[in-house]
Amino acid sequence: MEYSYSRLLGDTKVISEKYENAAVFKIGESVMGREILCVKIGGGHKKVLAAGAFHALEYITSAFLAKFAEEYARAAMRGEMFFGRDACLLSKNASLFIVPMVNPDGVEIVLRGGDTKPVWQANARGVDINHNFDADWQSVKDAPSPSLYGGEKPMSEPETKALCGFIRRERFDMLLCFHSQGEEIYYDFNGKTAPRSREIADEMARESGYKVGVPEGSACFGGCKDWFINEFGREGFTIEMGRGVNPLPVSMLGEVYEPNARIVLCGMEWAVRR
Ligand SMILES: [Zn+2]
């Protein structure tokens, strides 16, 4: 089972048609000209961004975010409780922006690429998007590669530029970056942690059963949450969804859905509480 770009197009179309509290728009385009889509739900003053599939093999994060977008929009519209929260009230206080697939070209390479399939994490030019952000940028590799090549310079890739431009325009209160796998939550960038981050990560961990982690090695720089924490001094998190060998099959969605839904909702509540 897989979650492709065309499934994302289908799911976001359904969301935009069915839910009047939701809007779908593009924030930019990939190297190959695929749309990088965002779903906005609710109209509250506080702004939270959740994004997934920075890495091609991690398309389960897109499947999660698309399902969460639809179910949260539905609960908010109908005034239903959603994992113990009043979804309608939450959506009045916070606007949730969801970018389910930052790297659509990479996902398509994994799903259609034949031999490259087991290892490809990068975009269509062989740049690892989550090592292309301007946060202590350095490249682990010196040439295009299925993973870990940070590009010729920070922000060189259209996917990175689209996300950074969007974040600068909207000035989000909180950022949640979804990856797989490991069942861990990261909140720190080289000690430059936003004031409440540890407390929030601890609560997310309690709600989800995931562990709070401190990144090591190549996970320590050039990532989206690193840049966000560095640039804005606000709370940014990386969530490593699920456990297993990437790509986690989309059949695991039922298993990862509730813990990660609780993480998003927990983050939104903290954003509102500020
Ligand atoms: Zn990743």
Side-chain angles (χ1 to χ4, degrees):
M1 280 246 291
E2 56 191 39
Y3 193 86
S4 63
Y5 176 64
S6 63
R7 277 187 72 181
L8 178 69
L9 292 179
D11 285 350
T12 49
K13 187 164 183 285
V14 167
I15 291 168
S16 68
E17 287 169 357
K18 266 169 86 172
Y19 305 103
E20 59 196 28
N21 56 349
V24 177
F25 53 93
K26 76 166 185 178
I27 64 164
E29 289 183 2
S30 67
V31 170
M32 303 298 287
R34 292 188 176 93
E35 294 186 337
I36 301 171
L37 292 171
C38 180
V39 184
K40 182 190 177 195
I41 302 159
H45 181 62
K46 298 294 180 183
K47 293 179 180 177
V48 175
L49 174 63
F54 295 83
H55 288 138
L57 289 173
E58 302 173 4
Y59 51 75
I60 193 169
T61 59
S62 308
F64 162 72
L65 287 168
K67 180 177 161 77
F68 180 86
E70 167 150 26
E71 296 198 349
Y72 174 63
R74 184 197 298 137
M77 202 169 80
R78 293 182 181 167
E80 291 169 355
M81 296 300 280
F82 191 53
F83 294 106
R85 269 92 174 182
D86 181 337
C88 182
L89 182 64
L90 198 53
S91 74
K92 284 194 177 111
N93 290 324
S95 298
L96 178 62
F97 295 75
I98 297 177
V99 177
M101 197 178 283
V102 174
N103 180 13
D105 295 350
V107 171
E108 289 304 300
I109 289 168
V110 165
L111 296 178
R112 327 257 168 254
D115 290 349
T116 53
K117 187 175 170 176
V119 293
W120 197 270
Q121 289 280 43
N123 73 355
R125 286 204 288 237
V127 177
D128 190 323
I129 300 298
N130 214 44
H131 285 285
N132 190 234
F133 287 85
D134 193 6
D136 289 359
W137 179 87
Q138 50 186 291
S139 196
V140 182
K141 293 189 178 162
D142 55 12
S145 170
S147 70
L148 296 174
Y149 173 56
E152 285 183 359
K153 57 179 192 214
M155 313 297 193
S156 59
E157 300 310 295
E159 295 88 353
T160 323
K161 279 185 195 144
L163 202 55
C164 289
F166 183 50
I167 290 170
R168 286 196 171 119
R169 282 194 301 281
E170 295 289 346
R171 303 193 66 83
F172 293 101
D173 294 284
M174 184 181 289
L175 173 69
L176 306 169
C177 298
F178 284 90
H179 291 257
S180 68
Q181 50 80 46
E183 299 188 339
E184 285 190 298
I185 300 160
Y186 295 98
Y187 65 93
D188 177 75
F189 171 56
N190 291 342
K192 292 171 195 159
T193 307
R196 308 182 306 170
S197 292
R198 177 67 205 232
E199 208 182 334
I200 297 171
D202 282 343
E203 191 170 317
M204 288 172 171
R206 276 195 301 277
E207 287 229 12
S208 61
Y210 285 15
K211 285 197 171 68
V212 176
V214 177
E216 290 168 13
S218 68
C220 294
F221 52 85
C224 187
K225 79 119 174 51
D226 304 330
W227 173 77
F228 183 78
I229 292 169
N230 204 31
E231 181 102 350
F232 300 100
R234 294 182 185 167
E235 294 113 1
F237 302 91
T238 290
I239 297 100
E240 292 283 358
M241 177 182 294
R243 191 177 287 280
V245 177
N246 285 326
L248 297 184
V250 175
S251 57
M252 277 181 78
L253 185 57
E255 190 181 316
V256 301
Y257 187 68
E258 179 166 351
N260 288 280
R262 289 184 177 278
I263 286 169
V264 178
L265 294 166
C266 178
M268 289 176 73
E269 279 188 347
W270 276 88
V272 167
R273 226 182 277 169
R274 184 186 300 281

